[in-house]
Amino acid sequence: MKYMSHNDIRNTWFKFFTKKGHKIYESAPLVPINDDSLLWINAGVTPLKKYFDGSETPDSRRIVNIQKCIRTNDIENVGITKRHQTFFEMMGNFSVGDYFKNEAIAFAFELLTSPEYFDIDKNLIYVTIYTDDDQARKRWIEVGLDPEHIVPLEENFWEIGEGPCGPDSEIFFDRGEKYDPNGDALEKFKKDEDQERYVEIWNNVFSQFNSKEGVDRKDYKELPSKNIDTGAGLERWCCIFQNADSNFETDLFKPIIKHIEELSKFEYVGQKEFKIIADHIRAITFALADGACFENVGRGYVLRRLLRRSVRFGKNIGMETPFMYKIVSDVVDVMSDAYPYLKEKRAAVEATVLEEEKLFLKTLEAGERRLKELVDNSVDGTISGEEAFKLYDTYGFPFELTEEYLEEKGMKVSREEFDKYMSMQKDLAKKNAKTKSNMASQKKVLLDFKDKSEFAYGIYRLKSKVQAIFTKDERVDSIDHDTYLSIERTCFYAESGGQVSDTGMILGKNFKARVVDVFKGPNGQHIHKVRLLDGVITVGDEVELVIDKDRRKRIECNHSSVHIIQYSLQQVVSNTIHQAGSYVDDERLRFDFTYAGKMTDDKILEVEEFANKMISEELIVSTEIMPLDKAKKLGAMALFSEKYGDTVRVVKIGKSIELCGGTHATNTKDIKRLAITLCESKGSNVYRIEAVTGDKIEDALYSIIEPYNEEKIRILMKAKEILEEARNNGLKLEFDVDINNDTPTSYKDIIFNKNELQYVHEEEKVLEKKYFELKEKNTLQNLDIYRENIRVINDIESILMIVNNKDTNILKSIADSLMNEMKNGYIFFINQKDDGSMNFISKSNSKLNAGFIMKKIATFANGNGGGSPTFAQGGTSSLESGEDILKEVEKEMKRND
């Protein structure tokens, strides 16, 4: 069998299937587009599920792809097994209602065994089939496979919940006796047990049934459109065709591992550290290049975990400084023939990875500082498991280090509570654990509906005819309840391109219906979801369609504003900015865009000002249908995730030119004015702007600013309480702050109120600090009340005293000042709170151990506490008698004398 590089395998795969009439679909980005059900694209079929569930019709019913995927549900196995990866590529061929089982099996056998393609000896091929799939068995024998190489298994049935399902046939490669030292691999293979000789390389799923809960599998109904969905892991194929012991010894990994050897000065002899780092840097590089970023939640949490795991294992092979960013280039070099865009993204990915590595090293120090703060502020000798998890999650501070640090202080932390929060985060990161996507049942009634209907732009009402009526499962001639309609010619826009659908009325001679939603059917017709208000709808009824004109006009203004914002960003900020998604309705608009720099408030204000200048110029908004090539020559902008036909619709607003199928204002003067309400980062180099237009501006800005005002009022009330308390204690303080109440008109008002809130907050903190300092100074000038309680116990000057509602920090300062006056002293304060709880402070410069006594007293009081020989603190929430506790302190002093 000939050696083949990973690029040889890719090219051969595409060559074969294009000859068989398949269209190549490029790999979708790893970050799912318009699909919140997954963290990552995790299977070759995932980006194509809209074709398999019938919601869209592909431009070719025969599809071939090699899809980038990430799965992290079993990350702990990476580096342990020979074939586990977080990032991998899935080669697939798909039929959407075209060929089926006989052709799929014939294709697979020809591709694998033909000398023109992969030229595998057919005697090295084994397959499994579903137990009852006689057709698959017969077909495998017909194409030339030895019947003894066909193994029936009950598990060979693809089914996830309700929807399309069916038997599958897995293809295995015999790696030879070298991987069968005990001679029992074939027996294990036939029992579906783990072994190393027969390795799965390809799975063909024959999607032919519709599963239903509560129905026996033998009674499943056949699908109206049978499909083929296959998956073949590229990494495993490289392992086979390069005669490698594991995926990590293939040309996909060897250059990366070689560079790790050079950086670490360690020789690679199969250590898991090399495998983990090489695997994880592939996932990190592709994920960042495809728009993900390091965060503490969701897919960002997964990436952060991968990087920190890599850094941790890097330390095992001597790499103490940032190194991951240095091997990004190896991933790019290996993969750029298949994914040329990696070269453009390389510098940005390297910078992002380096920054994250540095952050991880810095956060270890920051975590220690945060832990010290938690210890100092604890009143009962514990910190919560939630705080320990935050230390781990935010600072990368391991639980064991937190636990060890607290033990030295005589304090505790809950492992059980920490594990609870860790489990919650892991569940989020495993959102995509299922490797086979669940698909909705196919809408046969819409798939079969091929009649043409027309959408009319620029019209708000028109007369037409009812073309078809649909229920959930069938097409009917008439109906007397809520339903779905297709109209021969409609002015109702169907939701697409980020723009919501129209609403309105359909009026017939014998009925009245409210349109609540409009969507595109698989064959492109606008399907109207209607609420029947009166009468009976019949196919052929003449009708008048009336959309909600005011709502549509607001939508049109907002959609045109999206184009204006994109153009403004490109003119003001950078011409490299491109759209990454949008949403438009009658209330607001949203625009996502890519930008490698940092968006500042000043830039946002400039963009808003530029956009409003365009609006004020009363520009005509024009549309034109033209060939795609002509539109590209004009410089028309397009959305990267959209597929366009040969003819496109071009929208021009001044010098802004975009491909767009949405509805628009006729002139920018209709928009009146635009106000940006938000600009935030959505991930690596992706930002989101939200805005409102026209009469919606004032209310929208007020709703954003109101919480700032409420918080300012709360702070002012707190400041008032401090001033009153200070006056009651004979202390003089001043606080002079005003707040703005002008009507908001722009993003600058949001910035102003945000900054004003920060100013008020800072001024209140200054006031609070001044009050504390005055109160502390006043207290420390009058320590006689404490000195009066000094008594000698076993030759040690002692103050054992109960105080009420004292500030803990001031009480510590009191103890410090008194202890400075005592040469051989011991102090124990009980600070009683209004809620019945107590906190304890103990200080010693004598032979008595403050920490030891604190532990004993905390146990006596059913609380927690501890510390050093010279200083300790603790507390309790149980309603113990303070006097009894002080008696116990005195006993402990005498026991430890």
Side-chain angles (χ1 to χ4, degrees):
M1 195 167 65
K2 59 188 176 185
Y3 174 93
M4 297 183 79
S5 70
H6 66 92
N7 281 328
D8 292 336
I9 295 170
R10 294 177 206 275
N11 295 335
T12 304
W13 182 267
F14 284 136
K15 175 184 174 183
F16 176 82
F17 282 108
T18 52
K19 277 192 174 182
K20 299 298 183 183
H22 293 64
K23 183 173 182 178
I24 297 175
Y25 274 36
E26 290 185 9
S27 174
L30 284 166
V31 178
I33 299 168
N34 299 324
D35 186 352
D36 294 331
S37 65
L38 292 172
L39 289 179
W40 308 103
I41 295 295
N42 62 1
V45 72
T46 304
L48 309 177
K49 66 181 183 180
K50 58 190 175 184
Y51 305 133
F52 285 95
D53 68 13
S55 58
E56 289 187 29
T57 301
D59 55 4
S60 171
R61 291 193 175 273
R62 295 187 176 199
I63 298 169
V64 60
N65 72 0
I66 300 179
Q67 175 60 47
K68 299 170 291 185
C69 302
I70 284 182
R71 293 179 193 166
T72 56
N73 48 299
D74 50 4
I75 185 176
E76 291 80 8
N77 288 325
V78 174
I80 305 300
T81 71
K82 295 181 178 182
R83 288 178 287 276
H84 265 92
Q85 258 86 59
T86 51
F87 170 84
F88 59 95
E89 295 174 88
M90 190 62 75
M91 305 186 293
N93 62 288
F94 307 88
S95 166
V96 185
D98 189 69
Y99 64 83
F100 194 53
K101 192 177 300 183
N102 284 345
E103 295 91 335
I105 290 174
F107 288 162
F109 192 78
E110 180 184 354
L111 175 62
L112 291 171
T113 61
S114 169
E116 185 182 351
Y117 299 108
F118 289 109
D119 196 22
I120 298 177
D121 183 346
K122 68 178 183 179
N123 293 314
L124 299 179
I125 295 175
Y126 287 72
V127 301
T128 58
I129 59 171
Y130 180 54
T131 307
D132 297 335
D133 196 352
D134 295 333
Q135 183 187 356
R137 177 180 176 80
K138 179 183 176 184
R139 188 56 173 158
W140 278 117
I141 295 171
E142 287 175 351
V143 298
L145 190 65
D146 184 345
E148 294 297 316
H149 288 203
I150 303 171
V151 178
L153 292 173
E154 185 67 26
E155 290 75 16
N156 276 53
F157 196 93
W158 181 91
E159 182 176 9
I160 298 290
E162 293 192 350
C165 64
D168 61 72
S169 182
E170 295 174 326
I171 303 172
F172 293 77
F173 177 80
D174 179 2
R175 305 190 76 189
E177 295 179 358
K178 174 183 176 182
Y179 295 93
D180 186 14
N182 299 322
D184 59 354
L186 184 59
E187 189 66 25
K188 287 184 174 181
F189 170 61
K190 290 180 177 180
K191 293 179 180 179
D192 199 23
E193 296 177 358
D194 289 341
Q195 44 75 41
E196 286 294 320
R197 177 168 178 171
Y198 303 95
V199 178
E200 182 192 346
I201 59 171
W202 197 354
N203 188 20
N204 280 248
V205 178
F206 313 123
S207 184
Q208 64 187 98
F209 300 109
N210 191 28
S211 68
K212 287 286 184 183
E213 187 176 353
V215 178
D216 288 338
R217 184 176 288 172
K218 62 182 174 60
D219 297 322
Y220 286 168
K221 291 183 179 180
E222 295 237 341
L223 290 170
S225 176
K226 296 181 179 64
N227 305 312
I228 293 294
D229 159 19
T230 84
L234 175 65
E235 290 77 12
R236 291 194 182 188
W237 285 49
C238 289
C239 194
I240 298 301
F241 285 100
Q242 296 171 26
N243 195 27
D245 183 56
S246 78
N247 295 355
F248 296 99
E249 277 75 54
T250 67
D251 63 347
L252 289 168
F253 287 90
K254 286 198 292 188
I256 304 171
I257 289 176
K258 184 175 185 297
H259 195 180
I260 297 171
E261 283 184 311
E262 294 170 0
L263 293 171
S264 67
K265 311 301 183 189
F266 275 68
E267 180 184 359
Y268 173 64
V269 287
Q271 304 97 312
K272 67 180 180 180
E273 286 82 359
F274 285 83
K275 298 175 183 177
I276 289 168
I277 294 167
D279 170 86
H280 289 4
I281 193 60
R282 281 167 32 102
I284 291 167
T285 299
F286 271 97
L288 292 175
D290 283 8
C293 66
F294 294 108
E295 292 179 306
N296 281 339
V297 294
R299 64 179 64 94
Y301 175 80
V302 172
L303 287 189
R304 182 157 279 167
R305 184 183 176 199
L306 292 177
L307 184 127
R308 294 187 175 189
R309 192 167 187 256
S310 301
V311 171
R312 188 169 79 248
F313 281 104
K315 287 181 177 292
N316 293 349
I317 52 176
M319 293 191 282
E320 299 288 341
T321 58
F323 67 90
M324 288 287 283
Y325 77 100
K326 295 179 181 178
I327 51 178
V328 169
S329 59
D330 302 299
V331 180
V332 175
D333 290 343
V334 171
M335 305 296 284
S336 58
D337 283 349
Y339 305 100
Y341 74 96
L342 287 176
K343 291 181 179 179
E344 300 173 13
K345 301 285 187 178
R346 171 182 163 177
V349 171
E350 287 175 335
T352 303
V353 172
L354 175 58
E355 184 179 349
E356 181 68 16
E357 285 190 90
K358 287 180 177 178
L359 175 64
F360 183 38
L361 296 174
K362 286 180 181 177
T363 52
L364 283 174
E365 298 177 11
E368 289 180 337
R369 290 195 298 270
R370 174 59 183 152
L371 182 53
K372 187 176 184 303
E373 290 175 10
L374 292 170
V375 168
D376 290 343
N377 293 327
S378 173
V379 296
D380 61 358
T382 67
I383 72 167
S384 68
E386 180 182 8
E387 289 291 355
F389 173 74
K390 287 179 181 177
L391 283 168
Y392 167 77
D393 193 45
T394 304
Y395 301 104
F397 212 71
F399 176 85
E400 292 75 16
L401 195 56
T402 300
E403 191 173 42
E404 182 180 338
Y405 186 94
L406 292 174
E407 284 177 355
E408 293 174 0
K409 303 292 182 183
M411 299 178 69
K412 296 179 181 179
V413 60
S414 168
R415 177 81 206 208
E416 183 180 350
E417 189 181 359
F418 173 86
D419 288 341
K420 181 185 78 172
Y421 282 94
M422 178 64 88
S423 177
M424 288 165 58
Q425 187 68 292
K426 282 183 177 179
D427 288 343
L428 181 60
K430 288 182 179 179
K431 196 174 180 181
N432 62 338
K434 291 183 180 178
T435 61
K436 296 175 181 175
S437 297
N438 184 17
M439 303 228 182
S441 299
Q442 292 175 337
K443 307 176 185 70
K444 181 179 187 303
V445 65
L446 291 179
L447 284 168
D448 292 343
F449 180 55
K450 304 291 178 65
D451 297 3
K452 299 294 182 183
S453 69
E454 178 190 349
F455 170 66
Y457 283 99
I459 300 174
Y460 302 105
R461 64 191 301 156
L462 59 77
K463 292 183 178 181
S464 188
K465 285 185 179 180
V466 175
Q467 185 179 44
I469 304 171
F470 306 99
T471 64
K472 183 179 179 182
D473 300 312
E474 61 182 343
R475 189 171 168 180
V476 297
D477 293 328
S478 63
I479 201 163
D480 63 356
H481 54 264
D482 298 353
T483 189
Y484 298 86
L485 304 177
S486 178
I487 309 296
E488 288 183 359
R489 185 168 181 257
T490 182
C491 53
F492 280 86
Y493 184 81
E495 181 170 354
S496 61
Q499 179 179 327
V500 296
S501 67
D502 285 323
T503 57
M505 298 293 295
I506 299 180
L507 306 171
K509 184 178 180 181
N510 299 312
F511 75 91
K512 184 190 300 181
R514 177 75 184 165
V515 178
V516 295
D517 190 20
V518 188
F519 61 90
K520 287 185 179 179
N523 296 302
Q525 307 96 335
H526 288 208
I527 307 300
H528 307 67
K529 181 180 180 180
V530 300
R531 186 186 307 124
L532 187 60
L533 304 178
D534 184 42
V536 176
I537 308 173
T538 304
V539 172
D541 278 351
E542 293 186 351
V543 292
E544 183 174 19
L545 283 67
V546 184
I547 67 175
D548 293 330
K549 185 176 179 180
D550 289 343
R551 180 176 179 272
R552 161 73 87 83
K553 282 187 169 293
R554 290 196 297 271
I555 294 170
E556 290 173 342
C557 288
N558 285 341
H559 199 150
S560 296
S561 295
V562 164
H563 289 222
I564 290 171
I565 285 176
Q566 175 163 224
Y567 183 74
S568 301
L569 282 162
Q570 291 171 336
Q571 298 304 306
V572 171
V573 181
S574 171
N575 58 11
T576 63
I577 284 175
H578 291 289
Q579 182 175 346
S582 66
Y583 173 81
V584 173
D585 64 20
D586 58 315
E587 296 287 334
R588 67 190 66 81
L589 62 98
R590 185 180 73 217
F591 180 73
D592 295 346
F593 61 97
T594 59
Y595 175 50
K598 182 179 180 180
M599 288 297 295
T600 63
D601 285 340
D602 287 341
K603 288 178 181 177
I604 299 165
L605 286 172
E606 285 185 61
V607 169
E608 186 185 67
E609 184 180 349
F610 190 96
N612 280 311
K613 186 175 183 299
M614 281 185 69
I615 292 169
S616 67
E617 289 173 355
E618 300 187 2
L619 302 171
I620 293 173
V621 181
S622 65
T623 61
E624 183 180 353
I625 306 297
M626 64 178 68
L628 179 59
D629 289 342
K630 181 181 177 182
K632 288 181 177 178
K633 288 177 183 177
L634 289 175
M637 292 178 287
L639 184 60
F640 76 95
S641 61
E642 291 289 330
K643 292 185 180 295
Y644 296 96
D646 295 334
T647 303
V648 294
R649 185 169 180 261
V650 175
V651 177
K652 298 180 183 178
I653 308 175
K655 294 182 180 179
S656 165
I657 307 174
E658 292 192 37
L659 304 185
C660 181
T663 65
H664 286 270
T666 56
N667 191 296
T668 58
K669 68 180 180 182
D670 299 334
I671 301 171
K672 297 179 182 176
R673 183 171 175 79
L674 177 149
I676 293 174
T677 57
L678 173 73
C679 182
E680 63 179 355
S681 171
K682 297 303 292 180
S684 182
N685 301 334
V686 177
Y687 288 90
R688 169 170 294 173
I689 278 180
E690 294 183 6
V692 288
T693 61
D695 298 335
K696 297 291 182 179
I697 290 177
E698 189 173 318
D699 287 345
L701 291 177
Y702 262 128
S703 68
I704 295 169
I705 291 169
E706 189 60 28
Y708 293 140
N709 287 333
E710 289 175 357
E711 180 64 10
K712 282 183 276 188
I713 291 171
R714 187 194 67 77
I715 293 171
L716 290 174
M717 293 302 294
K718 184 179 177 182
K720 182 181 178 183
E721 291 174 4
I722 292 173
L723 291 171
E724 289 178 354
E725 186 178 330
R727 280 194 294 270
N728 292 337
N729 289 317
L731 302 173
K732 187 177 180 181
L733 286 172
E734 293 183 355
F735 186 73
D736 185 16
V737 173
D738 293 322
I739 60 174
N740 175 60
N741 290 308
D742 293 342
T743 301
T745 60
S746 164
Y747 185 72
K748 71 176 182 294
D749 295 298
I750 297 175
I751 298 171
F752 177 84
N753 278 272
K754 193 187 301 182
N755 292 339
E756 186 178 60
L757 172 59
Q758 184 178 351
Y759 171 73
V760 172
H761 182 72
E762 289 171 353
E763 288 297 301
E764 186 273 332
K765 286 297 179 186
V766 170
L767 176 70
E768 202 169 353
K769 184 180 178 184
K770 286 180 179 178
Y771 179 48
F772 176 83
E773 291 171 349
L774 284 172
K775 192 162 58 170
E776 183 180 37
K777 182 179 179 182
N778 192 51
T779 300
L780 295 178
Q781 286 176 346
N782 185 20
L783 296 178
D784 289 346
I785 189 174
Y786 301 98
R787 296 187 184 103
E788 290 169 0
N789 281 271
I790 294 176
R791 57 196 177 97
V792 177
I793 301 174
N794 288 4
D795 298 326
I796 297 173
E797 287 185 291
S798 306
I799 301 176
L800 311 183
M801 189 173 176
I802 298 171
V803 296
N804 294 302
N805 296 311
K806 289 290 184 183
D807 182 285
T808 303
N809 289 317
I810 290 179
L811 199 57
K812 290 178 183 177
S813 297
I814 292 170
D816 288 340
S817 295
L818 291 168
M819 189 56 67
N820 288 335
E821 299 176 4
M822 303 161 70
K823 294 181 180 179
N824 183 37
Y826 179 75
I827 296 172
F828 195 100
F829 286 137
I830 297 177
N831 190 16
Q832 291 184 327
K833 303 290 187 178
D834 287 338
D835 62 3
S837 66
M838 306 176 189
N839 62 300
F840 312 140
I841 288 177
S842 175
K843 201 154 181 72
S844 174
N845 63 3
S846 67
K847 60 186 177 180
L848 294 176
N849 187 316
F852 180 81
I853 294 177
M854 181 62 74
K855 283 186 180 180
K856 291 290 186 180
I857 298 306
T859 301
F860 173 80
N862 298 313
N864 290 287
S868 69
T870 58
F871 176 76
Q873 58 184 344
T876 181
S877 297
S878 69
L879 302 177
E880 299 290 334
S881 163
E883 294 295 340
D884 289 344
I885 293 172
L886 287 185
K887 289 177 183 176
E888 189 64 23
V889 172
E890 188 167 342
K891 289 179 183 178
E892 283 297 332
M893 290 174 64
K894 292 175 179 177
R895 290 191 196 109
N896 289 279
D897 182 25

